[in-house]
Structure formats: structure tokens, C-alpha cells
Amino acid sequence: MPSPSSRTLLLFLLALTDIQSCLAAPPLAPNSTTQECSCYQAASNREALFLNHQFFDFRSLANEPFASNLTAPPPIDNSQDGGIEPLTSPFFDTGSFGDYFIPASWSTNVSEVSPVLMVNSHQNVYLTRDSLDSPVHLTLRTNRLASFQSASGLQTTETAYMHGSIRIRARVAGSPGACAGIFTYLNDEQESDIEILTRDDRSTMRATNQPGVDPNGNVIPEASTPITISQPGETANGSWTDWNDYQLNWLPGQSEWLINGVSKLNKTYGVPTEPSNIQIRIWSDGSSWPGNMTVGGLATLDIEWIDLVYNTSREAPEGTCKTIPHRHVASTTVAPHIDQEEASKEELADAGSCLGCLPHGAQFGTNDVCSNQLPFAKLKSRLKGLASASTAMALGPSSSKSYQTPVRAQGSTSAEPSVPTGRPIPGDYTGALRPQIHYSPPRGFMNDPNGMFLDPEGVYHLYYQYNPTDIVAGNQHWGHATSRDLYTWVNQPIAIYPSGAEGEGIFSGSSVIDVNNTSGFFPNQTNGVVAFYTLHTTEEETQDIAYSTDGGYTFTKYANNPVISINSKQFRDPKVIWYPTTQQWVMVIAYAQEFVIG
């Protein structure tokens, strides 16, 4: 039974005011980290506590040097330019915003359901202001050209959010035929959305949980519900063309939507149960949901700030700050609790937990925190220390430069419509025969692990031989999964794809972190990754390389591949290491026809 002091603490947690109290202090700068709160509670009809908080206020950028000349960049006019053009502002590549969000750079193919090619463009993500006297805001844009729809979006680098509250201050304007969305996303069946359709009445917002259609293609009525936009205390309807606060609460077994601080709808249908990322987008593909925008049409989603409180699958579930984190991303089992009186602080720290302790008093944002609080930042520093101590996979001597996650660039892309680019392949991990301890891919065939490494942020990267289209070997890709504990794995998008040529496959290999830029691919960073792999074709096997500027999530194939070719069909599986004695890279490779290792 909990002690009286424990019961007092629990009552204090449940009496906590909403997150707006924590923001009552002067606005946070866009690159600020979490204030000194031990837990956060979002405005909701249900108590739920969260360990993490991020607040990005674009209004505070008015005095930045680049804010004196903020104009909308011209949209791309060639679909091939989408996602490879430079970012429109250094803001998107620096500070905590660049660590948390990346602009979307993927495309969708034309289909019977989606008749218009949609291409995400960096040119459609920019900072602007209505006038020199107006606050700065972020704009996401979509526009229709004759042969394609140019779209835009932001997606989080974190892919393991497990419940939270997403709040943004935003407005939408423009032509019918667009969908502005703020949502959690894992796949088309694990998704919860705030959606504004520019074909709708301007007072209507959609609250949607997926799936929206059944296996026979019939619309599921409870999936999407229209909500009327309004201001508190006003009887007249509001409009999505005005600035409004939109909030989506993702809680265990419940999704809740709020507008301007007022709870509008609770829904138990289709509530996501798996770790997900967060996306903010405006788009159209000519399908029936957004509609088909007229050529020359344009729509925008303007955002003044983004406010997130959340847990991840590595941390505690809601209601407590002293639990072991979830273990396997496929499992929905709630982790067991650790009683604070039965475990030491160090044991809790090693479990990745935060002690259930709040700042004294009702005012957030103070430095008066409880004496036994273990900030989550301390855990992150431990992971960084572990990463820096692991030098076996690092390229060359260690560097003193600080690590910073760069914006992920568009890399290797799929040549097959059934294999997605830029998002993980969905999988069902609930089957009786599905491994729950050992890693398994979301679907299809896997064999050899490839190119494993531990990055400077304490994240383990596993690549593996992967056929996403069949349950036998063939059509080989490099699949990708990440973990912080070698037990809880998060599926990532495929890392390296074959080109689509008949018989081609991305065979086994290895990878290294080029901390000293010996390759020349990474002039301004220390976390560049070079992957060495065998390119198998019907003619020969060669040794090729691909490089990643975003820490191993997306790869660009080297333009002058192959790097080694001896005109052999049995020449594969390169293993590369740094040999300090000679200050050289050394490759070990199998030459099967001669039964030797070269």
C-alpha cells in the first residue's frame, strides 16, 4: 500500500493544472528545451501525465537577421526538383527545431484512387509575415500545376511517440481541393488526425481516426466526424481562415479534439496503439478526400507556434513518472510499475525512468524542483557518453565537435509502387507466432544483419537484408530498424533500394561513421555514415557505397559507383574498418569462386 506521502504526491499530480500554466511565463524561444517541470499535463477531460515538452514559437523570430526580408519563395515547376532543393531558411537546419522536425521530401505515385502526382517540396516550407509589423509565422503551401501537385509537410525525427498532446495555433486559406492535417502516424490504420478540407464550409474541422474504410472499400462512419469551429463564449461559428488553437490529445483508448481550449469531441474508435511519429502537412493528390484542386490553385497552412507534450515507448505511460519504459514496439502491454520506496534512484535511472516529483507550488517554469528529481536530460547525457565511448565503428580518431542532427535529405528511393519511400512499411506484431524478443521485419523476408552501429545519440542502427515483396530471398534491399536498448526496436523506412533493374539487389555489407570526413561527403558534420554494400546484378557483383548526411536514416548512392569491380559474379560482403596503425581504411571481402577472403 502506498505511504501517506505517496498518496499526497498522487493527489498533487492529479490536481495539476494544464500545460498552459507552464507557458504562462514569457514565451519560450524556438530552440528552447523543456522547462524545469518533472511532468506535464495537457488540457483534457481526463488526467494524463507526460514526461517531455517542446514549444516552438515562430513569432519570436522577428529579430533574427533573416526576418527582415521574409517573402514566399517561388514554387517548383518541375516535379523532379521536389525534395532535393535547398531549405528556405537556416532555421530549419539549426537548433532544436532542426533536431525535432524535418521537411517532407517524398512523393506519391499516380493511381486510380489518387489521379494526381503529389511531390513534397522544400520550397513550400518557409517563414513569412503578413507585414513588417506582424509576427513571423511558419507557412506550409500546396499548389496545383498542370502535371502534378506540389505539397509540403513536416515530420518528427522521433518515431516512437506513445501518447501525447499536440497543440498548434494556425489558420488555413486558399483554393478548394487541399487537406491541412496535424496528426500522429505509423501507417494507414494507426493514425489520428486534425484535418481541415478547403472544400468544406469554413466553420468545419474534421476529427479523424483511421482506418477510414473497411476491407471492402466502404466508408466507416465513425472514423471521421465534422466539428464546428468556435471561440469560447461566442455563439457565432468561427472560421479556419482565422487564427485558432487546435489540439489533439492521444491518450490510451481515447482521442480528444479541442478548439480554442474547448473540448469538442472524444472518440474511442481507431485510437492508435503503436509508437508513431507526428506530422503536419498540407497536400492534395486529386483523390476524393481533399478533392481535385484546379490548375493554378494554391492553399496555405500558417502556424504561429507548435506545442507538444508527450511520452515515448521508451518511457513511462501516463499517470506516473516512475515506471520502466515499454520494451517492444509491437507490444501494447503496459510496463510494470516500480514503487519509489522499493527501488533506489540509481535503479530507476538505469531503467530510463523519471522520478515522480514535481516543482513545489502551482507555478511552472521555476528552478525550485524536488531534491530527488532525475531530469531526463541526465539520461540523454549518459547515452551520449556511451556513444562517445564506442569508437570501434567510428571513422578515424574521435572528434571534439558537438553532435547535431542535420535535416534528412532525400536519398535512395523505391522503384516499386508497392514499396514506400520515406515511411516505414506497416506490420502486424500481434500474431501468435510473431517474435516478441528477437527483431523481425514488418513483413516479407529478412536474413543477414548489415552495417550495425551505435550513433552519438545512443541509438543503435540495424540494417538487414530485406525483401519487402515476398517471403523468400530476392529483390534485396537494406531494411532498417533502430533501438536504444537492443530490445525495443522501431521500424524505419528502407535505407537503400535497388534501382529496379532486372535481377538487381542490394546485398550484404557494412557501415562506418566518418567522424573526420575522410570521404569528403561530410564537410560540416561529424555523424556522416558511409555504407559499403555489394551490388548484385545479372552480369557481376561489385562493391558500391552510399552515404548518409542525416545519421543513417536516408542514403544517397555514390555517383561514381562501383568503387571496386573485378568482373566477378561471386565477389561480395565487404567489411570495412579503420586501421589506426597505418591510418587507412581496410576492406575484407569474400571472393567465393576462388574460395578465399581478400
Side-chain angles (χ1 to χ4, degrees):
M1 175 180 289
S3 66
S5 61
S6 298
R7 288 195 294 270
T8 301
L9 175 60
L10 179 61
L11 290 172
F12 181 47
L13 291 173
L14 296 180
L16 185 61
T17 55
D18 67 39
I19 189 64
Q20 297 178 27
S21 300
C22 199
L23 302 178
L28 294 173
N31 60 352
S32 292
T33 56
T34 301
Q35 289 178 287
E36 292 295 335
C37 298
S38 167
C39 286
Y40 302 86
Q41 184 175 19
S44 173
N45 65 357
R46 192 173 130 187
E47 288 86 2
L49 298 176
F50 304 100
L51 284 173
N52 306 290
H53 174 228
Q54 285 294 321
F55 182 61
F56 301 101
D57 190 351
F58 306 107
R59 300 168 300 178
S60 66
L61 299 175
N63 296 323
E64 294 294 326
F66 55 78
S68 60
N69 185 28
L70 294 178
T71 57
I76 59 172
D77 56 11
N78 186 332
S79 62
Q80 298 300 312
D81 294 336
I84 62 172
E85 67 276 58
L87 301 174
T88 59
S89 170
F91 173 79
F92 300 120
D93 197 15
T94 57
S96 62
F97 189 83
D99 288 346
Y100 272 80
F101 286 96
I102 54 174
S105 55
W106 44 270
S107 303
T108 61
N109 295 320
V110 173
S111 67
E112 183 177 345
V113 175
S114 305
V116 179
L117 172 67
M118 186 184 73
V119 178
N120 281 296
S121 167
H122 294 165
Q123 289 287 97
N124 287 336
V125 181
Y126 55 91
L127 297 168
T128 188
R129 58 205 312 178
D130 295 341
S131 68
L132 288 177
D133 299 326
S134 302
V136 175
H137 62 261
L138 168 69
T139 292
L140 304 182
R141 177 178 64 191
T142 183
N143 64 293
R144 178 64 192 277
L145 292 92
S147 59
F148 70 100
Q149 182 87 28
S150 174
S152 61
L154 295 170
Q155 57 198 58
T156 56
T157 56
E158 175 65 77
T159 58
Y161 291 104
M162 193 66 185
H163 307 130
S165 179
I166 312 162
R167 201 164 63 104
I168 73 169
R169 183 163 179 80
R171 67 184 181 189
V172 176
S175 308
C179 176
I182 303 98
F183 55 100
T184 69
Y185 183 82
L186 173 64
N187 55 46
D188 291 342
E189 295 187 354
Q190 294 280 324
E191 179 180 346
S192 188
D193 309 81
I194 295 171
E195 293 181 302
I196 293 173
L197 305 178
T198 56
R199 63 178 173 84
D200 274 347
D201 181 89
R202 292 186 176 184
S203 64
T204 299
M205 186 203 88
R206 305 285 186 118
T208 305
N209 278 353
Q210 302 294 345
V213 295
D214 64 23
N216 296 320
N218 301 312
V219 174
I220 300 174
E222 59 267 40
S224 185
T225 306
I227 297 175
T228 300
I229 297 171
S230 61
Q231 293 288 343
E234 295 186 4
T235 56
N237 291 344
S239 170
W240 38 255
T241 59
D242 298 326
W243 290 107
N244 294 288
D245 296 357
Y246 299 97
Q247 182 172 342
L248 169 62
N249 292 337
W250 172 26
L251 308 175
Q254 175 184 298
S255 298
E256 181 185 12
W257 289 262
L258 299 87
I259 302 177
N260 298 314
V262 177
S263 182
K264 292 286 189 175
L265 180 69
N266 296 289
K267 187 173 293 192
T268 57
Y269 167 81
V271 178
T273 59
E274 297 285 348
S276 303
N277 73 356
I278 294 171
Q279 300 190 23
I280 303 172
R281 294 177 51 202
I282 188 164
W283 60 280
S284 182
D285 57 4
S287 59
S288 60
W289 183 246
N292 198 338
M293 186 178 288
T294 303
V295 173
L298 179 149
T300 57
L301 168 60
D302 297 331
I303 302 169
E304 284 193 338
W305 45 256
I306 302 171
D307 190 13
L308 304 174
V309 290
Y310 60 91
N311 291 331
T312 73
S313 61
R314 300 182 296 273
E315 300 163 349
E318 291 72 22
T320 179
C321 286
K322 47 179 181 177
T323 60
I324 298 174
H326 293 268
R327 284 302 182 191
H328 198 285
V329 298
S331 173
T332 57
T333 303
V334 176
H337 287 67
I338 297 178
D339 189 88
Q340 186 172 337
E341 298 174 355
E342 298 175 357
S344 70
K345 299 175 188 178
E346 195 62 28
E347 287 172 333
L348 291 171
D350 290 341
S353 306
C354 173
L355 296 181
C357 182
L358 289 163
H360 299 297
Q363 178 61 48
F364 285 99
T366 70
N367 292 319
D368 185 18
V369 298
C370 329
S371 59
N372 66 338
Q373 180 181 352
L374 180 69
F376 190 64
K378 186 174 181 180
L379 272 175
K380 292 183 177 179
S381 68
R382 287 187 178 185
L383 293 171
K384 287 185 178 181
L386 177 62
S388 63
S390 177
T391 58
M393 299 296 289
L395 298 181
S398 61
S399 170
S400 61
K401 294 180 180 178
S402 61
Y403 173 80
Q404 188 175 70
T405 305
V407 173
R408 298 179 190 167
Q410 177 66 38
S412 177
T413 57
S414 175
E416 302 175 76
S418 62
V419 180
T421 295
R423 57 186 175 89
I425 290 177
D428 180 5
Y429 284 82
T430 62
L433 300 180
R434 169 69 81 165
Q436 293 298 313
I437 295 178
H438 301 291
Y439 174 77
S440 60
R443 72 181 189 207
F445 171 90
M446 75 175 296
N447 55 324
D448 304 359
N450 299 152
M452 298 83 73
F453 70 91
L454 175 64
D455 74 20
E457 290 287 270
V459 176
Y460 293 93
H461 292 254
L462 165 69
Y463 306 97
Y464 55 91
Q465 289 291 282
Y466 184 37
N467 182 356
T469 58
D470 207 339
I471 56 173
V472 296
N475 191 28
Q476 297 299 99
H477 298 58
W478 268 30
H480 185 201
T482 55
S483 175
R484 287 187 180 270
D485 58 10
L486 294 178
Y487 182 50
T488 306
W489 291 97
V490 177
N491 286 318
Q492 301 290 348
I494 290 173
I496 307 177
Y497 301 78
S499 69
E502 182 68 27
E504 182 178 299
I506 307 297
F507 277 21
S508 287
S510 58
S511 62
V512 290
I513 305 175
D514 192 357
V515 294
N516 287 323
N517 190 30
T518 61
S519 65
F521 294 135
F522 317 109
N524 299 309
Q525 63 185 98
T526 60
N527 68 323
V529 180
V530 181
F532 303 83
Y533 60 91
T534 297
L535 180 68
H536 173 88
T537 69
T538 57
E539 301 297 324
E540 64 174 332
E541 289 182 342
T542 62
Q543 311 319 308
D544 289 24
I545 63 175
Y547 60 93
S548 172
T549 60
D550 62 3
Y553 290 89
T554 60
F555 285 85
T556 300
K557 295 176 182 176
Y558 179 47
N560 294 323
N561 279 329
V563 294
I564 302 178
S565 174
I566 62 172
N567 195 29
S568 170
K569 291 186 177 181
Q570 296 290 323
F571 180 56
R572 58 181 175 266
D573 306 343
K575 170 64 178 178
V576 175
I577 63 168
W578 175 255
Y579 189 51
T581 302
T582 61
Q583 294 288 291
Q584 290 178 316
W585 296 105
V586 178
M587 178 184 289
V588 179
I589 192 166
Y591 190 18
Q593 280 185 334
E594 300 296 327
F595 302 102
V596 297
I597 300 295

